[in-house]
Amino acid sequence: MSGLFNISPIPASILVVGLPFVAFLIQALLGKKSISGIFSLAAIILSTLISGLFVFTDIWQKAPVSYTVDWFTIGNKTVTIGILLNNLTVLMQFIVCIIALPVHIYSKAYMKGDPGIHRYWMYLSLFCFAMLGLTVSKNLFMLYIFWELVGFASYLLIGFWFTKNTATEANKKAFLVNRIGDLGFLIGLSIIFSLFGTWDLLELFGDAGIFAQGIDKNTGLITAAGICFFIGAMAKSAQFPLHVWLPDAMEGPTAVSSLIHAATMVAAGVFLVSSIFPLFNDLVLLLIAIIGSITALSAAYFALCQYDIKKVLAFSTVSQLGYMMVAVGIGAWDAAIFHLATHAFFKCLLFLCAGAVIHEMAHHKEHSGQDFDPQDLRNMGGLRKYMPKTFVLMGMASMALAGFPLTSGYLSKDAIVISAFEWATHQGGLFIILPITLVFVSLLTAFYIGRLMFKAFFGTLRVPKNEQQHVDLHEAPRQMLIPMFFLGICCFFFVFSFNPFSYHQAGILEGFSVQYSFAEVHSLHLAIPTLLTLGTVLVWLVGWNWYVKNRYPLRSDSAFLIWGERQLGLNELYKKAFVDSTMSLTRFSYWWDRHIVDGTVNGAAYVARSISRAIDWIDRYIVDGLVNTIAGTTYYIGHLLRWVQNGRIQNYLGFAFTIILIGIVYLIFR
């Protein structure tokens, strides 16, 4: 295809990255004059076509291609920037494009009439530019720049409705938590450059790179570098305990949530650790696997206890990212990327369906004049009668999330869980706890997504009964449904593999051909899928009994549900440990500055002023007084003498007469 149009992959990839940036500039220049989003939509359409036709097809399962230019020099080391196109980067770039496109189309209808729509298109194009640039960066430092730009763009999008206090709090929280990870990333960059003098990914991790030459990875600095890069990925991909920003990020528009959660920002951490996988030694990989399993389990528990439909999906994303990190930790990073790809489609669809539901519930709230939360599952019910297409599409995405047979999620989740059991069998001992945890998380996943479907689409609408006869809910607009149908098709197995029951034939896994450190256990390939499928059906039956037949056995105020909804008090803990302590420190610093520092300075100034006033008084009345008195006396005496000695004879006679008169008076009264 590229030969037909004479476009090589490198300039094509630059176009893929550059077009959204051009759209961002145009939107910024036009401002409120451009509210249609035509420039952003055209840019992402072209980027998707170019990425698919001229980049992905030319590079996938072929030799990597790169282009490098010198950037700047530090001492005798030259830092370069460039484009790296290999199986991982072109796949990631194509996924970002193909997920961003339906989100743009959906946004045309979903955001229609919003007073800040011109800002929305501008921010969305900036976000896509940053994420697309991140995927093909050849240099770790260049990747870090786009990494930060993705964080900035997400800050703008999460706080898009900045007049809402919750939105501004959410984007600040996301920005600050991600700075923790970015600091780890930056320290990792410093260690790598100090050890090897380069940030070039090919020079470090290529087939002929430094790490391919068999260097000792168990040194303290390399271990530290691996941990630092993973900390960066923990924050960006919302791993426990740095996951707290992601549920709050739901304050942005739902279309933004779908883009952030599907295959862009939160997937960047998984992409990073996969790109630098040769850096990690066994200790760091074990740490990644443990953190990933804790994240998957805790987030699944939190999702069980949420009532906000978007927060259920948000914690689901966190849990699935934990799955991906476990895959990286056991050495199956190709399975992590496979699950990233499948998850991108069904999670994007889940959010867009949730957006359609919220869109209609908000309209019903407006038209009925009632006051209720359109995102609360407790206000929903029976929506399948009003929104049958959305119900079917969300059901398809839910089955993919639960890993039900014939869906893409079935293949990618099995790839991770089975590999985890094979890894644990190879390791022995207590390592078996990790894959067992993943099985348990898979069952929890099926339960909470079933709970969401049952509460939202079955039963009857749970808004006040006096309005039931005036329900005006209807299906989402066609412009929202078309991208949802596309994503629904991508939830099935045939998009990724011709074999619906074996992940080995998946094109993505065949493209990477990663050599695992553990042997394949054939019996697991039948036992694990059977166990997970039967378990999924069982928990759905339990959910049906609880939420549709109203045989719910738990109290709504039970400690289990309350603590799950509050995320085990992590937000409160962080508030007390970091926010409140920082505020206390600032108050103490203010008091110290006001009373100690300023008191010392002001006291010294007062003493200095008092001394200066005393010196001024002494100078004025003692020193100057004595000098002036002597001078005045001398002047007065001189004045008298000058008056006598003036050359006039009559004055001399008068003076002599006066003296004689004074003498006579003296003699008389003596």
Side-chain angles (χ1 to χ4, degrees):
M1 182 64 72
S2 63
L4 181 62
F5 292 96
N6 196 29
I7 303 177
S8 65
I10 293 295
S13 185
I14 294 173
L15 275 176
V16 171
V17 177
L19 284 170
F21 183 67
V22 173
F24 161 72
L25 293 177
I26 293 174
Q27 288 287 156
L29 291 172
L30 293 178
K32 293 184 178 180
K33 296 178 182 178
S34 177
I35 61 173
S36 66
I38 186 65
F39 299 106
S40 297
L41 184 58
I44 200 64
I45 289 173
L46 289 173
S47 289
T48 304
L49 290 174
I50 294 171
S51 178
L53 298 177
F54 303 110
V55 181
F56 183 81
T57 54
D58 277 15
I59 299 298
W60 183 251
Q61 292 189 332
K62 298 182 179 66
V65 176
S66 64
Y67 177 75
T68 308
V69 295
D70 292 344
W71 191 6
F72 60 87
T73 301
I74 301 176
N76 59 350
K77 303 292 185 181
T78 299
V79 177
T80 61
I81 56 172
I83 302 292
L84 173 61
L85 302 180
N86 56 26
N87 283 351
L88 177 58
T89 61
V90 298
L91 175 65
M92 191 69 187
Q93 187 181 69
F94 189 44
I95 290 173
V96 172
C97 287
I98 210 168
I99 291 298
L101 177 56
V103 170
H104 277 69
I105 297 172
Y106 180 96
S107 296
K108 288 274 290 180
Y110 187 80
M111 296 298 293
K112 185 178 181 181
D114 192 286
I117 186 67
H118 60 288
R119 291 186 294 107
Y120 177 83
W121 294 118
M122 181 174 66
Y123 297 163
L124 202 60
S125 293
L126 178 64
F127 185 91
C128 291
F129 159 69
M131 193 63 210
L132 290 169
L134 183 150
T135 59
V136 294
S137 296
K138 186 174 182 285
N139 181 287
L140 276 173
F141 188 64
M142 178 181 171
L143 191 151
Y144 177 74
I145 292 172
F146 282 110
W147 181 278
E148 291 287 357
L149 193 56
V150 166
F152 173 67
S154 67
Y155 168 83
L156 296 174
L157 286 169
I158 294 169
F160 174 74
W161 288 313
F162 58 85
T163 54
K164 293 171 56 180
N165 184 61
T166 51
T168 56
E169 292 295 327
N171 72 349
K172 285 188 290 185
K173 186 175 183 179
F175 193 80
L176 291 173
V177 172
N178 273 277
R179 297 292 72 72
I180 299 171
D182 296 348
L183 179 60
F185 196 146
L186 191 59
I187 295 172
L189 286 176
S190 302
I191 295 174
I192 290 296
F193 195 81
S194 66
L195 289 175
F196 307 112
T198 182
W199 285 313
D200 190 284
L201 288 169
L202 280 182
E203 293 179 12
L204 289 168
F205 309 115
D207 293 337
I210 295 171
F211 282 84
Q213 298 172 8
I215 66 169
D216 183 11
K217 296 195 295 186
N218 294 312
T219 63
L221 281 177
I222 291 182
T223 300
I227 292 174
C228 286
F229 280 116
F230 177 56
I231 290 173
M234 281 177 64
K236 194 71 78 178
S237 290
Q239 297 297 287
F240 184 91
L242 300 180
H243 69 280
V244 292
W245 68 270
L246 193 55
D248 291 359
M250 298 299 97
E251 292 295 334
T254 303
V256 168
S257 301
S258 68
L259 189 60
I260 291 176
H261 283 251
T264 52
M265 180 177 176
V266 296
V270 178
F271 172 74
L272 172 67
V273 294
S274 299
S275 298
I276 62 173
F277 181 80
L279 171 67
F280 303 126
N281 57 34
D282 292 340
L283 176 62
V284 179
L285 289 175
L286 180 60
L287 175 65
I288 293 173
I290 292 172
I291 294 295
S293 62
I294 293 173
T295 302
L297 179 60
S298 60
Y301 165 48
F302 299 152
L304 279 175
C305 307
Q306 302 301 313
Y307 295 103
D308 186 310
I309 188 172
K310 288 176 67 176
K311 282 197 173 182
V312 174
L313 299 179
F315 282 113
S316 172
T317 298
V318 176
S319 184
Q320 297 306 302
L321 289 166
Y323 259 92
M324 299 174 205
M325 287 299 182
V326 169
V328 174
I330 64 176
W333 64 264
D334 56 339
I337 296 298
F338 183 28
H339 194 52
L340 185 156
T342 61
H343 176 265
F345 293 99
F346 62 71
K347 184 52 62 69
C348 186
L349 177 56
L350 282 169
F351 270 105
L352 295 188
C353 289
V357 169
I358 295 168
H359 189 264
E360 293 308 313
M361 290 294 290
H363 277 301
H364 178 58
K365 174 183 176 181
E366 181 182 351
H367 293 154
S368 66
Q370 299 180 81
D371 185 18
F372 62 87
D373 185 356
Q375 297 184 195
D376 196 321
L377 288 168
R378 291 170 292 191
N379 296 324
M380 300 178 190
L383 294 180
R384 62 192 173 94
K385 293 182 293 185
Y386 309 104
M387 308 176 70
K389 295 175 183 177
T390 301
F391 165 66
V392 171
L393 289 167
M394 198 164 193
M396 292 160 54
S398 298
M399 287 193 294
L401 174 63
F404 203 71
L406 303 183
T407 65
S408 59
Y410 172 85
L411 296 172
S412 59
K413 186 174 286 187
D414 277 3
I416 295 175
V417 177
I418 293 172
S419 297
F421 271 101
E422 292 171 343
W423 171 83
T425 302
H426 175 75
Q427 297 289 337
L430 295 176
F431 289 94
I432 194 67
I433 294 175
L434 192 145
I436 291 175
T437 301
L438 295 186
V439 170
F440 184 58
V441 171
S442 181
L443 299 179
L444 290 179
T445 302
F447 186 84
Y448 68 65
I449 198 62
R451 169 181 174 266
L452 184 151
M453 291 294 297
F454 295 144
K455 289 181 78 69
F457 292 97
F458 291 84
T460 58
L461 194 64
R462 286 181 287 273
V463 292
K465 292 183 179 179
N466 61 344
E467 294 292 339
Q468 291 300 310
Q469 65 271 27
H470 302 297
V471 173
D472 53 5
L473 294 168
H474 51 77
E475 193 57 82
R478 180 179 298 179
Q479 198 168 4
M480 293 168 63
L481 284 173
I482 290 174
M484 290 161 60
F485 274 118
F486 165 74
L487 294 169
I489 293 172
C490 295
C491 290
F492 290 101
F493 71 92
F494 51 77
V495 176
F496 299 92
S497 173
F498 291 114
N499 189 331
F501 300 109
S502 175
Y503 60 84
H504 289 291
Q505 282 75 47
I508 291 177
L509 295 182
E510 289 180 345
F512 292 125
S513 301
V514 176
Q515 297 297 318
Y516 296 166
S517 61
F518 45 85
E520 184 176 0
V521 181
H522 295 284
S523 59
L524 293 173
H525 291 259
L526 177 62
I528 297 302
T530 303
L531 173 65
L532 294 179
T533 302
L534 292 177
T536 297
V537 173
L538 178 61
V539 298
W540 280 347
L541 289 175
V542 172
W544 176 270
N545 199 46
W546 285 13
Y547 301 110
V548 179
K549 294 190 174 182
N550 295 319
R551 296 174 182 172
Y552 189 66
L554 300 177
R555 292 167 46 194
S556 59
D557 60 348
S558 67
F560 176 83
L561 295 176
I562 291 173
W563 283 102
E565 188 178 8
R566 293 175 54 194
Q567 303 178 50
L568 296 176
L570 280 174
N571 281 300
E572 292 83 353
L573 175 63
Y574 290 165
K575 184 176 184 299
K576 290 181 179 178
F578 300 108
V579 178
D580 290 350
S581 60
T582 301
M583 294 300 294
S584 297
L585 178 61
T586 57
R587 284 191 293 267
F588 173 75
S589 299
Y590 174 76
W591 178 88
W592 182 270
D593 182 67
R594 187 177 181 86
H595 296 91
I596 304 301
V597 177
D598 287 355
T600 301
V601 172
N602 294 336
Y606 176 78
V607 171
R609 287 195 302 270
S610 298
I611 293 173
S612 66
R613 282 194 294 267
I615 293 173
D616 178 67
W617 187 87
I618 292 171
D619 186 63
R620 279 175 176 272
Y621 298 103
I622 304 300
V623 178
D624 287 356
L626 179 60
V627 171
N628 292 336
T629 299
I630 295 172
T633 303
T634 305
Y635 174 81
Y636 183 71
I637 295 172
H639 177 71
L640 290 176
L641 294 176
R642 185 170 60 252
W643 179 77
V644 174
Q645 300 294 326
N646 58 9
R648 294 179 180 178
I649 190 65
Q650 61 270 29
N651 287 349
Y652 295 158
L653 291 174
F655 180 72
F657 176 77
T658 301
I659 294 299
I660 293 171
L661 182 60
I662 291 172
I664 293 171
V665 172
Y666 171 75
L667 292 175
I668 293 172
F669 290 99
R670 178 179 173 188

